[in-house]
């Protein structure tokens, strides 16, 4: 069996760097270019950005998931300039219009890489939700024990305990 060289494999993989899809919006036509070759760190960054944007003060906002995912993918993997607000954050209202007013999302979702990234995002969101839930219950328990421990450290309580012990002798 003849081995395939790294250079041959790299050349083959580079032929998949990006895909181009025709998009029509109203009477306009344009080409949507989607990056296909992603590194593990790029995938991780996308997942992290999506997950962190869907939680505000550790509260999950399911209404953000689709538009945030779409915005991050458009911003990082396509030739579309992201709609940003004055402070350079992604304008989710404008991106919502792009998401629901065009067929760009349908085109993007046909890309296997994007489908896998979406799956990773959902898994990470579920993990974070469970982590927050578990953490919250544990925090409540720790707070209760902390309050209880404070009562034992009170000087009046300590003196009362000493008197109780002495009276039992």
């Amino acid at each position: 069996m003849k081995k395939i060289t790294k250079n041959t494999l790299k050349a083959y993989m580079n032929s998949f760097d990006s895909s181009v899809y025709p998009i029509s919006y109203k009477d306009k036509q344009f080409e949507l270019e989607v990056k296909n070759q992603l590194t593990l760190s790029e995938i991780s960054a996308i997942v992290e950005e999506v997950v962190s944007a869907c939680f505000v003060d550790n509260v999950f906002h399911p209404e953000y998931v689709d538009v945030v995912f779409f915005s991050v993918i458009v911003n990082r993997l396509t030739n579309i300039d992201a709609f940003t607000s004055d402070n350079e954050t992604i304008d989710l209202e404008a991106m919502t219009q792009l998401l629901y007013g065009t067929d760009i999302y349908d085109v993007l979702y046909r890309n296997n890489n994007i489908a896998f990234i979406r799956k990773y995002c959902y898994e990470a969101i579920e993990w974070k939700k469970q982590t927050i839930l578990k953490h919250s219950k544990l925090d409540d328990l720790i707070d209760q024990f902390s309050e209880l421990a404070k009562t034992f450290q009170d000087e009046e309580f300590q003196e009362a305990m000493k008197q109780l012990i002495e009276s039992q002798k």
Side-chain angles (χ1 to χ4, degrees):
M1 169 173 43
K2 184 177 176 186
K3 295 276 185 175
I4 299 172
T5 66
K6 288 180 187 177
N7 290 337
T8 302
L9 191 54
K10 283 182 182 181
Y12 173 73
M13 289 174 58
N14 288 339
S15 68
F16 297 104
D17 275 351
S18 65
S19 300
V20 177
Y21 303 95
I23 300 289
S24 20
Y25 179 68
K26 297 185 180 179
D27 294 336
K28 307 259 192 244
Q29 296 275 334
F30 64 95
E31 290 185 339
L32 177 66
E33 187 173 346
V34 180
K35 181 179 178 181
N36 291 325
Q37 295 285 9
L38 302 172
T39 65
L40 183 58
S41 61
E42 288 173 316
I43 293 169
S44 293
I46 290 169
V47 171
E48 179 60 33
E49 188 173 348
V50 170
V51 171
S52 65
C54 292
F55 289 84
V56 177
D57 296 327
N58 277 342
V59 175
F60 177 58
H61 290 271
E63 69 275 16
Y64 291 178
V65 175
D66 287 338
V67 70
V68 166
F69 179 77
F70 177 74
S71 299
V72 171
I73 293 298
V74 165
N75 190 36
R76 290 180 177 256
L77 302 182
T78 74
N79 58 333
I80 297 174
D81 285 334
F83 294 105
T84 55
S85 59
D86 294 337
N87 62 358
E88 294 300 313
T89 59
I90 294 176
D91 183 346
L92 291 181
E93 291 299 327
M95 293 304 288
T96 300
Q97 296 302 315
L98 188 64
L99 169 62
Y100 297 116
T102 68
D103 63 344
I104 294 172
Y105 181 79
D106 295 332
V107 170
L108 289 173
Y109 201 71
R110 283 185 249 144
N111 181 300
N112 284 335
N113 288 334
I114 293 171
F116 281 117
I117 295 170
R118 184 172 183 83
K119 177 181 166 274
Y120 301 149
C121 288
Y122 278 126
E123 289 172 355
I125 286 169
E126 282 306 310
W127 177 84
K128 185 165 183 171
K129 286 181 351 188
Q130 293 304 315
T131 301
I132 289 169
L133 183 62
K134 287 177 187 174
H135 183 74
S136 296
K137 287 180 180 179
L138 181 60
D139 281 348
D140 291 344
L141 189 59
I142 290 171
D143 289 344
Q144 289 173 354
F145 279 124
S146 294
E147 288 301 314
L148 188 58
K150 285 179 189 175
T151 62
F152 290 115
Q153 293 173 358
D154 181 64
E155 287 181 32
E156 290 178 24
F157 179 81
Q158 294 289 334
E159 186 59 37
M161 294 309 316
K162 284 180 187 176
Q163 289 176 1
L164 181 63
I165 292 170
E166 289 298 318
S167 69
Q168 297 299 318
K169 290 184 180 179

